Amino acid sequence: MPDEQAWREIAIGGTEINPGSTERVNTGAWRSEMPIIDFSRCTHCMICWVDCPDACFEISDTRLAGIDLDHCKGCGICAAVCPTHCITMVPESSVPVKSSESGA
Ligand code: SF4
Ligand code: SF4
């Protein structure tokens, strides 16, 4: 699928039917709220990693390392399930970082 399509070329309902499309679609651009992790309270239980629908949590040596903000849609599930409440959702406009910076 080319990067730009005429509306007649888009599948009904805007459905993405090509596998692997996440590689080139920056779904983080859809986000209105950003998850911020307070690592001082993180126990690295990985519950957020399990429940994130977009597999955005980055792991390093069995520990939580950050978030792939290029693909995090800001759904807030991670903040809801974190047992230590160390993830806070903040308005995207209030965080002066680029999406490619993870973990914030
Ligand atoms: S759910 Fe919370 S405590 Fe557990 S790894 Fe994720 S951020 Fe850390
Ligand atoms: S806000 Fe949603 S998409 Fe982003 S890291 Fe948390 S669970 Fe994943």
Side-chain angles (χ1 to χ4, degrees), residues 35 51-54 56-57 67 71-79 89:
D51 287 333
C52 175
D54 293 294
C56 290
F57 283 91
I67 300 174
H71 295 101
C72 163
K73 299 192 195 97
C75 67
I77 290 174
C78 54
M89 301 300 295

Side-chain angles (χ1 to χ4, degrees), residues 34-39 65-67 69 90 95 97-98 101-104:
M34 178 185 292
I36 302 293
I37 304 170
D38 177 358
F39 278 100
I67 300 174
L69 292 174
V90 300
V95 183
V97 296
K98 294 184 291 187
E101 296 176 2
S102 59

Side-chain angles (χ1 to χ4, degrees), residues 6 22 27 32 40-41 43 50-51 62-63 70 92 100-101:
T22 302
T27 52
S32 61
S40 69
R41 291 190 290 141
T43 61
V50 170
D51 287 333
T62 71
R63 293 171 68 85
D70 283 341
E92 187 75 21
S100 58
E101 296 176 2

Side-chain angles (χ1 to χ4, degrees), residues 81-96:
V81 300
C82 175
T84 66
H85 308 290
C86 70
I87 301 177
T88 305
M89 301 300 295
V90 300
E92 187 75 21
S93 58
S94 70
V95 183

